[in-house]
Amino acid sequence: MPEVFIDGKRFEFEGSPSLLQFIMDQGMEVPYFCYHPSMSAPANCRQCLVKVGQPVKDRETGEFELDENGERKIRWFPKLQPSCKMDVSDGMVVKTQEVDEEVERAQKDNLEFILINHPLDCPICDQAGECPLQIQTYKYGPEGSRFEVQKAHKPKRVQLGPRVTLDAERCINCTRCVRFTEEISGTEQLTIVSRGDKNYPATAPGEEFDDPYSLNTVDICPVGALTSSDFRFKARVWEMNQTPSIDITSGKGTNIDLWTRDNLILRITPRFNKEVNEWWMPDEARDAYQKFNENRVSRPSLKIDGQQQASTSWNNAIETFAEILEAHDSDDILVIGSPHASVEENYSFNKFFNLLGVETAKFVPHIVEGYGDDFLLTDDQAPNTNGCRLIDLDEIDSKSLKSAIGSAKVVIMLSDELVDREVLTSADLQAPYVISLATNKTETVQESDLVIPITCVAEHAASYVNIDGRIQRSMPAKETKYTNRSLNLEMSEGRLDRYGTNFDNWRTEENKVDCLPVWDFLNKLGDRLGLNFQYEHSRAVMADIASSIPAFEDVTYERMDEEQGIQLPLEHKELRQD
């Protein structure tokens, strides 16, 4: 097996991995700026320099030559090498800044050079707290600057496009953003303009940076030169919780982090998952934070004499719901599930009404033909279409749904904006008594006679099956009026390290929505009806699913966490990849 020696330690390897990536894969560290594992390595920042050599072999015998101490003789390269650009080779010997003073000094000098014209505006820079340049300066940089003349000035607050703002003075020309548009998104909208200490990234004259993945350049910018126009100056990174979750704006199931302060989602960023989205996410998926915070359905409401909805108590909502069910035969009730709701929500919702003798819930996929690309955008606009199929909900089209509503006296809908997405019209919902379990105020909710507020993906733990048949789950990032996130099983430690506690001074009791998880509300409704239906939490729902539906066998939250999602056996059900 080929071997390499790094800082005196022996490692075996296969293939020809990048030296920098191999070092990091071993849990060791070499500072860098321009390198990104999914893009080409230009080696232009020069921060990842290491000392590299090869053992000397006797040309005749092929044996390693030894020194007076019996150690292999090493022929060192005449100059330090950028580790991002080198491939590991058999016998290679490497020294990093941890053991070699020359490497340590080179990295310190390089940082001093980078900082010559870099503005010292950390107190007002959005990148502060998660800035690689800031972090590496503290760890490897010089203690002060010898530069005594005025720094070079470049354009500031440049609106490159609708979502990205540039502060060119901060740019260190790592070219990550340029390479992203060339190698990942393929739009080639950015390039480096000007020369010398005046250069910076820009678009062509008269063009704007409207790449549908433009905000990924903000994520990978190592210095805060590119910032999110929407998020600028909203919060410091250390003021927010970082909670892993799943994007629900499309069928891809992009892995994300939700950033929370004062119980509001302030931004959404991609989370690495090699099997789904790697490091990336579409710009439009980041706008979902608004739906989590704004225009929420909070506290039940009902129409009085067919007039405008008025808030009511939970007890009255449960009583009203129960009376409607008791007043109608099961054949008169139509239950509509949703590809926008989780597996657990759809399953518990369908099971509850099946126990009452109501037919299996129907659902209408949310497909927009031609909307997707060959990357992360999909024609399927819902996160759990395949989940609905796997639990055997009845998949129908708009015409069939309208026909079913026409013969129903009670219509109960789960978290789907059917009027808003023009599957139904307002007229379709005039005759029956309509009950909506919903997260946000929509046209569909406005047409409902009884509205039950339920938790959104940012407020509960639940799972979703993406277009490839991969089941992944969310975790609660916000508290509701009836939950305490710091006490439940989903919490981790810290702020940047996931969760805070009531003792953190940025926490607040405000901004809590008066809503319940679907299964929790159905528990209460079941108690009122005398129904044998009880789930303590979403884990219990998933345990029931795993024990009763073959496609979900051995699926647990723990496995989903450890494996970053589980690929379900597609032979159990024909799943579509839209």
Side-chain angles (χ1 to χ4, degrees), residues 343-344 347-349 351-352 355 391 532-535 537-550 552-557:
V343 174
E344 291 86 345
Y347 179 83
S348 59
F349 180 73
K351 180 176 180 179
F352 181 91
L355 292 174
I391 62 174
N532 183 21
F533 183 92
Q534 189 69 38
Y535 289 114
H537 41 62
S538 58
R539 290 173 182 265
V541 183
M542 179 50 67
D544 189 10
I545 296 171
S547 65
S548 58
I549 300 179
F552 294 88
E553 187 177 3
D554 296 328
V555 171
T556 64
Y557 282 8

Side-chain angles (χ1 to χ4, degrees), residues 118-131 133-134 156 167 170 221-227 231-238:
H118 192 81
L120 304 179
D121 60 352
C122 294
I124 63 168
C125 178
D126 269 354
Q127 193 82 347
E130 55 180 356
C131 173
L133 178 59
Q134 186 183 59
K156 298 179 72 67
D167 188 325
R170 297 174 186 164
C221 179
V223 294
L226 297 176
T227 58
F231 180 70
R232 279 166 61 90
F233 308 123
K234 278 190 177 179
R236 290 300 194 183
V237 65
W238 56 83

Side-chain angles (χ1 to χ4, degrees), residues 17 32 52 79 84 103 124 193 195 225 232 409 468 508 515 577:
Y32 65 91
V52 180
K79 294 183 179 181
C84 68
V103 177
I124 63 168
V193 299
R195 307 184 72 177
R232 279 166 61 90
K409 294 180 180 179
D468 301 311
T508 178
C515 62
Q577 298 185 14

